[in-house]
């Protein structure tokens, strides 16, 4: 909102020949493979293209890494194909008035079995929230000939979202929060807020749910906490934002999602 963008420090150029890929490099490679597989249906002849792009280590290590990534992508693609049988529906043009807001856009990847969201990675709270918003919009339109179900597919799990009767009410609540967030930093953090809302849904009391969220926020010796995000550091490094506002926003944003979601 303020146009602030934090530049990463340039790393020192490594003079050693790499024999593996970093987590981000491997993720980008696998996204390229998935995009290619969706377009062409096969990765059989794609190795020379990837090798020429410089994304792989040289020699045998690069070949082994490619084969490993290709096998994973092809298995993931088979899961997708189960839900993409038949003709894909035309993108759904959206122009909705919700309270004092006007929501305009387009929904794509809609099949007879439902709206499909996917990412070749473990499902993150941000993925859930994005699919959830699209699902609510789909339900609010009530477009003839379009399904009211949605599905999110990741490497670790699949989430199904059945029809929602109060989609307009939930969307208006989310839009109100969004509008408020354009004026001040909200105490809402996808990772920590999801942990809190999910813990409540599983029957934990507020104290235990907040303790679990704080662990996600602070991290530990083995993984970074959400609080270490440099943008969040600017806003909250001098105070503890996991307060009553955090609890209310976590319940309000993720509560209806958790209640609707069915994991398979």
């Amino acid at each position: 909102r303020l146009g602030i963008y934090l530049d990463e420090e340039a790393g020192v150029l490594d003079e050693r020949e790499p024999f593996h890929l970093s987590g981000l490099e491997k993720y980008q490679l696998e996204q390229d493979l998935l995009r290619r597989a969706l377009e062409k249906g096969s990765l059989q002849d794609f190795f020379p293209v990837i090798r020429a792009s410089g994304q792989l280590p040289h020699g045998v290590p690069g070949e082994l890494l490619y084969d490993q990534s290709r096998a994973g992508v092809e298995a993931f693609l088979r899961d997708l194909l189960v839900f993409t049988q038949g003709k894909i529906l035309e993108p759904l043009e959206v122009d909705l008035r919700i309270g004092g807001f006007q929501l305009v856009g387009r929904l794509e990847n809609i099949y007879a079995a439902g709206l499909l969201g996917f990412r070749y990675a473990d499902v993150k709270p941000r993925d859930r929230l994005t699919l959830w918003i699209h699902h609510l919009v789909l339900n609010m339109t009530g477009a003839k000939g379009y399904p009211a179900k949605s599905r999110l597919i990741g490497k670790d799990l699949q989430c199904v979202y059945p029809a929602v009767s109060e989609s307009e009410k939930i969307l208006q609540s989310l839009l109100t929060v969004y509008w408020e967030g354009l004026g001040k930093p909200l105490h809402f953090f996808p990772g920590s807020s999801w942990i809190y809302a999910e813990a409540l849904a599983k029957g934990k009391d507020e104290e235990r749910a907040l303790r679990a969220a704080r662990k996600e926020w602070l991290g530990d010796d083995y993984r970074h906490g959400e609080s270490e995000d440099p943008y969040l550091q600017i806003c909250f490094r001098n105070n503890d934002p996991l307060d009553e506002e955090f609890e209310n926003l976590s319940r309000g944003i993720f509560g209806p999602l958790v209640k609707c979601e069915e994991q398979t």
Side-chain angles (χ1 to χ4, degrees):
R1 179 65 166 178
L2 298 177
I4 298 175
Y5 301 96
L6 305 180
D7 295 327
E8 294 185 3
E9 295 183 4
V12 178
L13 190 62
D14 195 344
E15 296 180 353
R16 297 171 299 175
E17 185 173 345
F19 289 97
H20 67 279
L21 298 180
S22 69
L24 178 58
E25 290 170 334
K26 189 171 186 294
Y27 171 78
Q28 291 172 336
L29 167 64
E30 291 171 340
Q31 299 311 305
D32 284 346
L33 292 178
L34 179 60
R35 183 165 54 251
R36 166 77 177 195
L38 288 170
E39 292 174 355
K40 304 296 184 180
S42 172
L43 296 173
Q44 185 174 356
D45 303 321
F46 198 45
F47 174 68
V49 177
I50 290 292
R51 182 175 57 186
S53 71
Q55 292 179 264
L56 293 171
H58 294 295
V60 174
E63 294 178 17
L64 293 175
L65 195 151
Y66 177 83
D67 288 341
Q68 180 187 46
S69 296
R70 184 186 69 173
V73 167
E74 288 176 340
F76 183 76
L77 186 61
R78 286 193 291 272
D79 288 339
L80 286 182
L81 291 177
V82 172
F83 303 100
T84 58
Q85 299 298 322
K87 183 180 178 181
I88 187 171
L89 302 182
E90 289 292 325
L92 184 60
E93 300 294 337
V94 176
D95 188 353
L96 300 173
R97 291 192 176 276
I98 307 172
F101 302 96
Q102 184 172 10
L103 191 60
V104 179
R106 171 186 290 187
L107 292 179
E108 300 179 332
N109 288 333
I110 307 176
Y111 297 83
L115 185 151
L116 178 64
F118 60 89
R119 195 162 75 95
Y120 188 63
D122 289 350
V123 171
K124 300 292 191 298
R126 292 177 184 271
D127 302 325
R128 284 181 158 101
L129 190 54
T130 298
L131 194 280
W132 176 239
I133 292 171
H134 293 174
H135 177 65
L136 293 172
V137 171
L138 176 65
N139 275 255
M140 185 177 169
T141 62
K144 185 177 180 181
Y146 285 80
K149 291 178 61 177
S150 299
R151 182 179 295 266
L152 175 62
I153 300 179
K155 290 175 65 175
D156 56 337
L157 58 83
Q158 297 183 21
C159 306
V160 178
Y161 302 88
V164 179
S165 59
E166 296 185 331
S167 55
E168 181 174 359
K169 179 181 177 181
I170 299 172
L171 269 173
Q172 184 168 350
S173 175
L174 292 175
L175 285 167
T176 300
V177 171
Y178 167 76
W179 188 255
E180 185 180 356
L182 294 178
K184 69 172 186 177
L186 298 180
H187 294 195
F188 172 77
F189 318 102
S192 304
S193 293
W194 171 259
I195 293 293
Y196 180 80
E198 187 180 40
L200 291 179
K202 290 181 177 179
K204 294 184 179 180
D205 58 41
E206 293 184 359
E207 182 178 346
R208 292 173 64 194
L210 187 60
R211 191 159 56 241
R214 194 173 299 281
K215 184 176 180 181
E216 178 72 15
W217 174 252
L218 296 175
D220 53 35
D221 294 337
Y222 304 100
R223 59 189 179 85
H224 294 295
E226 196 170 19
S227 63
E228 296 180 53
D229 182 294
Y231 291 94
L232 297 180
Q233 283 281 319
I234 291 176
C235 298
F236 303 110
R237 61 188 166 199
N238 296 321
N239 56 70
D240 178 14
L242 270 61
D243 52 12
E244 184 178 358
E245 179 185 337
F246 165 81
E247 295 177 9
N248 291 335
L249 284 172
S250 300
R251 282 194 298 263
I253 294 173
F254 278 134
L257 190 163
V258 174
K259 185 178 179 181
C260 179
E261 181 180 281
E262 300 172 1
Q263 296 185 14
T264 62

